[in-house]
Amino acid sequence: QVHLVESGGGLVQAGGSLRLSCAASGRAFSTYGMGWFRQAPGKDREIVAAISWTGDSTWHADSVKGRFFISRDNAMNMVTLQMNSVNPEDAAVYYCAASRGNRVITSALMSRGAYDWWGHGTQVTVSS
């Protein structure tokens, strides 16, 4: 019922910034918890950040805390990931995901199993 399309990926210089966007279809977007995940070649998909349905509460992984910031604009059906001070370890395919049953920040929202819909991903490459 929800289609997610990521954009904004590409090549960024180490230390630079990049902003990823996720456009969502559906009128119920504002009722879903949202998350950003990333997956590097040969590695498991890991959660990067999550945001509650209202956008008033966020969570960021230790690896990106203080550098990456998740936000959402429910009026625009959009969730974003602002990436600052990127490093080569940040290179990965980034996915946005929507959770129908988990709308607030809890441990459940940190699990891949909590998410019902996924985007196709956008590639982020970091040059040094």
Side-chain angles (χ1 to χ4, degrees), residues 6-24:
E6 303 95 336
S7 62
L11 178 64
V12 60
Q13 185 176 342
S17 297
L18 199 66
R19 187 176 182 87
L20 306 183
S21 298
C22 178

Side-chain angles (χ1 to χ4, degrees), residues 10-71:
L11 178 64
V12 60
Q13 185 176 342
S17 297
L18 199 66
R19 187 176 182 87
L20 306 183
S21 298
C22 178
S25 67
R27 309 306 301 177
F29 171 77
S30 62
T31 71
Y32 304 143
M34 297 293 296
W36 280 100
F37 290 75
R38 68 185 182 186
Q39 186 168 23
K43 300 186 66 176
D44 293 335
R45 189 172 301 184
E46 63 177 353
I47 189 168
V48 175
I51 189 167
S52 64
W53 65 308
T54 61
D56 64 341
S57 183
T58 63
W59 177 91
H60 299 82
D62 289 342
S63 59
V64 306
K65 193 172 185 178
R67 300 187 298 118
F68 293 7
F69 303 92
I70 189 172
S71 62

Side-chain angles (χ1 to χ4, degrees), residues 81-109:
L81 184 69
Q82 178 65 46
M83 305 169 59
N84 298 323
S85 301
V86 299
N87 57 58
E89 288 70 42
D90 296 320
V93 177
Y94 283 72
Y95 302 87
C96 66
S99 177
R100 182 180 183 181
N102 297 276
R103 301 192 294 177
V104 299
I105 298 296
T106 66
S107 59
L109 203 59

